Amino acid sequence: MGGALGPPPPPLSGLLPRPAAPGGTPPAPGPAKRLRGHSLQAERAFTEGLAHARTYYEEHGHLAVPKEDTPAGYPLGQWLANSRARHTRMPAHQAAALHALYPWWHAPWSTLWQRTWHQARDHTEAHGPLEPASGFPTTSYSLGEWLYLQCTRYPTLHPEQRRLLTQIGIDAAAAATARPRRRNLKAGAEEALAHARSYTAEHGHLAQVSATTVHHGYPLGRWLAGQRSQQQRKVLSPDRQRALTSIDPWWCPPWNLK
């Protein structure tokens, strides 16, 4: 008819499912498919991310990494966020590897909740049992406030969150007796300055701290916005000015932070 015939179509038998083996058992799986191209690149990228995740876990004991964190220059926070977003499409062996490293890598609650829980667990190991009925007197204000909030929300928390709280001494009975944490103004200021120092040690300055910045569970941005406002109105105490200037001389510059 004027044109060369193309290759013959594959036999129909090749498109049908393989028959079951005698006895009704499913057929043995074929040899593992060799990874090529994009699949090979994706597996190598996962292996690299998993290695960084293991290093972080060995140092911190969890994988509740803030999204913006880049330990050792690797965007681990973003990698984990991407992994959580595609967990339903993730190959089973990859999900199993992350679960084996840290069972709560994709918990049904926020990474901030998980980080703060680890902070509370570390506190109990260092300072002994919590005291909900006394307003958590041995904790920092922010941690005590967070623990009291969990007690007030205890009945509505995820069952596994309640189980984790029970591990640090807060069961339903203890939660019912909890009292709010009382603020000590001097201790609160020292805590805020400690977070400012920690943030500067990690990022090199305080310029990136916006009103919404939360550092290791502490609302550093909200606190620093208040200090900047007082500085601009010339009502900030000289001691506080010196403390903040020693952390970052440009903590409140006379130009736009950006």
Side-chain angles (χ1 to χ4, degrees):
M1 296 292 292
L5 295 176
L12 184 60
S13 61
L15 303 177
L16 297 175
R18 296 173 63 190
T25 57
K33 185 177 180 180
R34 185 176 181 181
L35 296 175
R36 289 188 174 88
H38 178 73
S39 296
L40 181 59
Q41 292 177 5
E43 191 64 28
R44 286 174 174 169
F46 176 81
T47 301
E48 180 185 10
L50 185 65
H52 283 279
R54 182 173 291 106
T55 299
Y56 187 96
Y57 175 81
E58 290 171 352
E59 180 178 352
H60 300 277
H62 62 80
L63 290 182
V65 186
K67 189 175 180 179
E68 66 276 7
D69 275 17
T70 57
Y74 182 81
L76 181 61
Q78 186 64 60
W79 181 82
L80 282 165
N82 293 343
S83 298
R84 294 183 188 106
R86 66 182 186 90
H87 75 281
T88 57
R89 306 185 305 278
M90 180 181 291
H93 72 279
Q94 293 183 0
L98 280 166
H99 182 83
L101 182 57
Y102 183 62
W104 304 113
W105 75 274
H106 182 50
W109 48 82
S110 71
T111 55
L112 175 58
W113 193 97
Q114 195 67 15
R115 286 196 300 275
T116 313
W117 178 86
H118 277 276
Q119 182 184 349
R121 188 193 64 177
D122 293 345
H123 178 87
T124 60
E125 291 177 353
H127 302 282
L130 297 169
E131 300 177 41
S134 300
F136 305 99
T138 64
T139 69
S140 65
Y141 179 79
S142 61
L143 180 57
E145 190 176 49
W146 182 87
L147 287 164
Y148 176 69
L149 183 62
Q150 306 316 304
C151 291
T152 62
R153 296 177 176 176
Y154 196 87
T156 64
L157 294 176
H158 190 284
E160 289 301 311
Q161 285 178 298
R162 296 199 295 267
R163 188 178 70 81
L164 288 171
L165 288 172
T166 299
Q167 291 182 12
I168 59 174
I170 301 179
D171 56 13
T177 68
R179 295 291 178 269
R181 183 75 164 89
R182 293 183 178 180
R183 176 180 287 276
N184 180 304
L185 294 180
K186 182 178 179 180
E190 289 301 321
E191 180 184 13
L193 289 169
H195 279 283
R197 293 187 190 95
S198 173
Y199 185 96
T200 303
E202 293 180 20
H203 301 274
H205 52 76
L206 291 173
Q208 288 179 211
V209 179
S210 68
T212 59
T213 300
V214 175
H215 179 65
H216 298 311
Y218 183 81
L220 179 62
R222 188 173 64 193
W223 179 83
L224 192 57
Q227 307 305 298
R228 286 168 174 157
S229 175
Q230 291 184 43
Q231 175 75 345
Q232 291 162 359
R233 291 184 286 115
K234 302 186 184 302
V235 296
L236 189 66
S237 72
D239 287 345
R240 187 66 50 77
Q241 291 181 41
R242 284 192 292 271
L244 283 165
T245 300
S246 69
I247 296 171
D248 178 2
W250 303 112
W251 71 273
C252 185
W255 47 78
N256 186 282
L257 285 170
K258 292 183 180 180

